[in-house]
Amino acid sequence: MQVMPIKMSTFAYQSNYIISKVKFTRIIFSTVALISLFLPTSMEAAVPGLAQRLRQGLSDCTSASDSLKVLLDVYDASENDDQATIGREVLNLAERIDNQEVIQDFILQLAVLQKKDDAALRALVIEAEKLDDRDDRKGAQLFVNVMRAINEVTYIPDSEYQKALLKYARADMIPTGDLYQDILDLYRVVIFLGKSAKNNLYLEYVTRLENMIKKLPENRYYIRNLFYTTAAITHTQNGNCKKAIEADKELLDVIGKLEKKNKEAGRQYKDYSRNYYICYRRILRNYKCLTLDEVKDYYTKCAMLAEKDKNIREDFYETGRPVVYRLMAEHRYGEAIPKIKAAIARNEDRNIHTELMQQLVEAADSVGDQKTLLEALRECNAMQQRQLEQNSEEAYRELHIRYDINNLKKENTKLEVEKRDSELRSGQKLITIVLAAMLVLAVLLMVLYRRHFNLRQQCHDLKKENERLNKYMEEMLNDGKPSGTLDLRNGTEYGKTGKTNS
């Protein structure tokens, strides 16, 4: 009788683990897709054949710069499937005429478009060396290497996951003094920790990363967008609605600046509608932290964008989540129930499904719809059971990761202490050697001084002896008469040669 529950629990555990992996892969690629917040969407099917017609304008170009302008419009107006090929054309031409701004822009563009091709990403890291400005070069390489880390964690075997995580954690513990490299080291840890549920350990690292990214110059907007996109999704899924809204507002601010910049540059075919819509919809998803006026404002913005874009219109009216969020915020529960059911039927994201079911329970309970409430409660209970089992697994994984990282910290601290002790020992040895050398030098100086003193004394004695001998020799040569004396007999003076002066 007890075997069956154990098997069911094991099956649920395995199912949750598989679902967690699938969900993580979906989240990663959704995040990468949303990185297009700085890579605007094309006009898509709104103007069929526009890109091809624009390309025909290349035949009228008289210079490479003119051709580049046309190719940029072709790229902006192209279908997403064609953008990688056209983007490569743009990059090659920009390199030929050394247009640094376009080179940087399209290294980033291609990094997102070729996010699943590590060989292409490695080539882009090398290609970034063509950027003359050191910070531009480092920023582009940082972005591409983050794309490589996302690609790596998506496909890494489970047997290699822990080893890779600890490798990057070890690198993160050793500051390099290079802000871009330190951000990359920390970003890799965040990406690998994100493979598990977004637990407290993950949020601790995300907070560290946010503080570090704030130190980047303002023109490194693409790194900020990459981070804030991930942060907005993570905080939304963890129920941190205020932090999620803050992240999305940061994104909206940058989108506005980019839109203005590209309009001034004449990039008339760039369209940021979908990017705005994604942010507005996610902010509405966090309606519990918004005022009713704010809910109405963001809902209106979504509705206005739906009138301009076919794909947005399909999401707004058919999937209908913005409508659900507004109705729930206004406590119009009776109207919300059919909209929630329609949204559930069209939704494929597990986190959103859980939220919609909870909203359905709230709405059904508020209007006394017992049938809907009972069905929703049953599913919610089943989901909560699966979530509890998954949370237990994730809690164990977090403890295991924390344990390994703490061991790394202890090992790193031990190595630092050993290094410091070694440096101290080396310093002490050096001091001993220096002191010994100084002592030997002092002794040598004393010996030399003594010898110098003796030599001076000997020189002094020799000088005196020499003077005595000279005087003696003069007396001998003057017949014993001292030089300079007078001969009283004839009044002459004895010379130094022993003869009298006449």
Side-chain angles (χ1 to χ4, degrees):
M1 291 296 292
Q2 295 179 350
V3 175
M4 190 63 176
I6 295 174
K7 287 183 178 179
M8 289 296 291
S9 177
T10 304
F11 174 75
Y13 165 79
Q14 292 172 342
S15 299
N16 288 333
Y17 181 68
I18 293 170
I19 290 169
S20 177
K21 288 184 65 178
V22 172
K23 179 178 69 175
F24 168 74
T25 303
R26 189 189 307 124
I27 289 170
I28 282 292
F29 284 118
S30 297
T31 302
V32 173
L34 289 172
I35 294 167
S36 61
L37 287 168
F38 83 92
L39 307 178
T41 53
S42 66
M43 297 292 287
E44 295 193 17
V47 186
L50 175 61
Q52 194 60 37
R53 290 199 299 273
L54 289 171
R55 183 179 280 276
Q56 292 172 2
L58 288 171
S59 59
D60 299 326
C61 295
T62 58
S63 67
S65 296
D66 291 339
S67 298
L68 182 61
K69 291 178 182 177
V70 173
L71 272 180
L72 286 170
D73 284 342
V74 172
Y75 175 83
D76 293 337
S78 296
E79 300 284 348
N80 292 337
D81 293 341
D82 300 328
Q83 285 190 321
T85 303
I86 301 169
R88 173 47 65 178
E89 288 183 64
V90 173
L91 182 58
N92 291 340
L93 183 55
E95 289 173 349
R96 203 169 76 203
I97 63 176
D98 195 31
N99 188 319
Q100 292 283 305
E101 184 177 357
V102 176
I103 292 173
Q104 179 183 4
D105 185 21
F106 274 80
I107 285 173
L108 306 175
Q109 302 266 0
L110 289 171
V112 174
L113 295 170
Q114 299 175 319
K115 58 186 175 288
K116 297 181 183 180
D117 187 347
D118 191 63
L121 293 175
R122 287 199 306 271
L124 288 173
V125 172
I126 297 171
E127 208 142 12
E129 291 292 334
K130 297 177 182 178
L131 293 170
D132 297 334
D133 185 83
R134 175 180 173 274
D135 285 335
D136 287 345
R137 184 167 59 252
K138 284 180 172 291
Q141 290 175 332
L142 168 60
F143 184 88
V144 177
N145 280 320
V146 170
M147 291 294 100
R148 292 185 63 200
I150 291 173
N151 190 49
E152 179 186 2
V153 75
T154 304
Y155 299 108
I156 193 170
D158 290 336
S159 57
E160 297 292 324
Y161 165 75
Q162 197 80 357
K163 181 180 177 182
L165 171 59
L166 294 179
K167 178 183 72 174
Y168 292 134
R170 183 179 286 108
D172 173 54
M173 292 175 190
I174 306 172
T176 64
D178 182 340
L179 178 61
Y180 292 93
Q181 183 61 49
D182 289 343
I183 288 175
L184 177 59
D185 291 337
L186 179 54
Y187 220 132
R188 283 168 170 160
V189 179
V190 169
I191 289 168
F192 271 75
L193 285 176
K195 188 169 185 178
S196 301
K198 307 303 183 288
N199 48 41
N200 291 332
L201 180 63
Y202 176 82
L203 294 176
E204 290 170 16
Y205 273 85
V206 165
T207 302
R208 274 187 58 208
L209 182 59
E210 181 179 10
N211 293 333
M212 199 175 288
I213 285 176
K214 285 180 179 177
K215 298 177 183 178
L216 287 171
E218 186 177 351
N219 60 354
R220 300 290 168 255
Y221 62 87
Y222 45 89
I223 304 295
R224 285 191 173 86
N225 283 356
L226 176 60
F227 169 76
Y228 284 118
T229 300
T230 305
I233 294 172
T234 300
H235 288 307
T236 296
Q237 291 177 351
N238 281 273
N240 302 324
C241 56
K242 289 184 179 180
K243 295 286 288 183
I245 292 170
E246 286 175 10
D248 270 315
K249 285 183 176 179
E250 291 278 356
L251 290 172
L252 288 169
D253 181 59
V254 177
I255 292 170
K257 291 178 181 177
L258 286 174
E259 187 175 37
K260 180 181 177 182
K261 174 186 173 184
N262 285 303
K263 280 183 179 178
E264 292 172 352
R267 301 283 291 276
Q268 58 182 316
Y269 297 104
K270 282 199 172 185
D271 182 16
Y272 289 88
S273 297
R274 178 173 172 271
N275 309 133
Y276 278 117
Y277 178 74
I278 290 171
C279 287
Y280 294 149
R281 186 182 62 188
R282 190 166 48 236
I283 290 175
L284 279 174
R285 185 178 170 186
N286 293 283
Y287 64 87
K288 291 181 180 179
C289 289
L290 297 173
T291 64
L292 189 56
D293 286 341
E294 287 174 325
V295 170
K296 291 178 180 178
D297 179 49
Y298 286 115
Y299 176 84
T300 301
K301 289 176 178 177
C302 287
M304 291 173 64
L305 290 171
E307 295 303 314
K308 294 167 53 180
D309 185 281
K310 182 184 72 173
N311 294 329
I312 295 175
R313 187 160 54 250
E314 289 177 359
D315 181 87
F316 184 81
Y317 289 108
E318 294 183 17
T319 304
R321 284 198 284 128
V323 179
V324 170
Y325 301 142
R326 175 172 178 173
L327 293 174
M328 291 299 295
E330 294 176 342
H331 307 299
R332 293 158 61 184
Y333 299 116
E335 298 174 60
I337 290 174
K339 297 293 184 182
I340 295 172
K341 289 181 178 179
I344 290 172
R346 292 178 175 87
N347 173 65
E348 295 180 356
D349 185 279
R350 193 167 191 82
N351 286 292
I352 294 173
H353 179 78
T354 301
E355 290 177 10
L356 290 172
M357 289 304 303
Q358 291 170 347
Q359 290 163 357
L360 185 59
V361 169
E362 180 184 350
D365 184 49
S366 298
V367 298
D369 186 341
Q370 297 300 319
K371 179 182 178 182
T372 300
L373 177 62
L374 182 60
E375 292 174 354
L377 283 173
R378 281 181 185 151
E379 185 166 352
C380 280
N381 287 336
M383 286 191 302
Q384 286 178 357
Q385 182 61 34
R386 290 193 297 267
Q387 189 64 44
L388 284 172
E389 293 175 359
Q390 184 176 333
N391 288 347
S392 297
E393 167 63 13
E394 295 300 343
Y396 173 77
R397 286 168 66 87
E398 179 184 358
L399 286 172
H400 189 56
I401 292 171
R402 276 188 183 275
Y403 175 78
D404 288 340
I405 290 177
N406 286 335
N407 282 342
L408 274 181
K409 288 180 180 177
K410 289 179 182 177
E411 180 184 337
N412 191 52
T413 303
K414 182 180 178 183
L415 289 173
E416 287 180 357
V417 170
E418 290 177 353
K419 180 182 178 182
R420 187 168 62 249
D421 290 345
S422 176
E423 289 173 350
L424 286 172
R425 286 194 296 270
S426 298
Q428 289 172 347
K429 288 180 181 178
L430 182 61
I431 291 171
T432 302
I433 292 170
V434 170
L435 288 175
M438 291 178 66
L439 179 61
V440 171
L441 182 61
V443 172
L444 182 62
L445 286 172
M446 289 176 65
V447 171
L448 290 174
Y449 178 78
R450 185 172 183 81
R451 291 191 64 183
H452 176 70
F453 177 80
N454 290 337
L455 284 172
R456 287 187 64 184
Q457 188 66 37
Q458 288 176 9
C459 286
H460 181 72
D461 293 343
L462 286 172
K463 184 177 179 181
K464 283 187 174 183
E465 182 65 19
N466 187 51
E467 290 175 353
R468 189 184 65 78
L469 289 174
N470 282 337
K471 187 175 181 182
Y472 177 75
M473 289 178 67
E474 288 177 358
E475 290 176 356
M476 292 290 293
L477 292 173
N478 293 326
D479 298 325
K481 301 295 190 290
S483 177
T485 60
L486 294 174
D487 186 347
L488 297 176
R489 289 175 295 178
N490 54 23
T492 59
E493 181 181 356
Y494 286 101
K496 293 181 180 180
T497 58
K499 297 181 180 180
T500 59
N501 296 322
S502 58

